[in-house]
Structures are given as C-alpha cells and as structure tokens.
Amino acid sequence: NPGEATDFLQKEATKDPTEAVNITSQEAEDLVKCVGCLPLAISRAATFMRKSGTTPGDMLGLYHSNQKIQVS
C-alpha cells in the first residue's frame, strides 16, 4: 500500500532524533514511487539520508540521474 509505505518512510527518516531528516509527505510519496513499496528499500533510503545528511530533494535527484549511490 503506497500510503503505508509513505508513512513508513517518514517514520524511518525521523527514527533517530540526532540524524532526523525533514521530509514532507510529497517528498516521501515521490521517493516511495522511486524505490517501490519495498520495506527494505524504503528503510535503506531513509538510513542513507540520515547517515549522509542527504536531503530528500537530493535523494530524488540521485534516483533520477545516472549516478550510482554507494551505500555501506
């Protein structure tokens, strides 16, 4: 369900208050469209943003570009 996936991304993005990512509902919806409604992909995207300091807008830009994202 896309609504549940969007809610999950927003929850994951703010899971750690010291690294929380400010993400709007629209940004979360757009990112979910990029990664699909796959919980692991959503969790990895949120973790990448939190750990790297990448904004949701930059993350969407990465998904729409040909750049590879290295996640460790």
Side-chain angles (χ1 to χ4, degrees):
N1 173 322
E4 289 175 355
T6 299
D7 291 344
F8 179 60
L9 177 57
Q10 289 180 297
K11 180 181 172 189
E12 287 291 301
T14 58
K15 185 161 74 172
D16 182 346
T18 63
E19 300 172 337
V21 175
N22 184 17
I23 185 167
T24 66
S25 295
Q26 185 62 54
E27 290 168 328
E29 185 177 317
D30 292 344
L31 276 169
V32 164
K33 287 178 185 174
C34 288
V35 301
C37 293
L38 304 169
L40 181 58
I42 293 167
S43 179
R44 294 295 288 173
T47 299
F48 179 81
M49 287 188 293
R50 284 195 331 266
K51 298 291 183 185
S52 68
T54 302
T55 67
D58 289 342
M59 190 73 168
L60 284 165
L62 287 170
Y63 274 106
H64 293 295
S65 75
N66 289 328
Q67 292 181 341
K68 300 287 183 195
I69 301 172
Q70 177 142 4
V71 180
S72 47

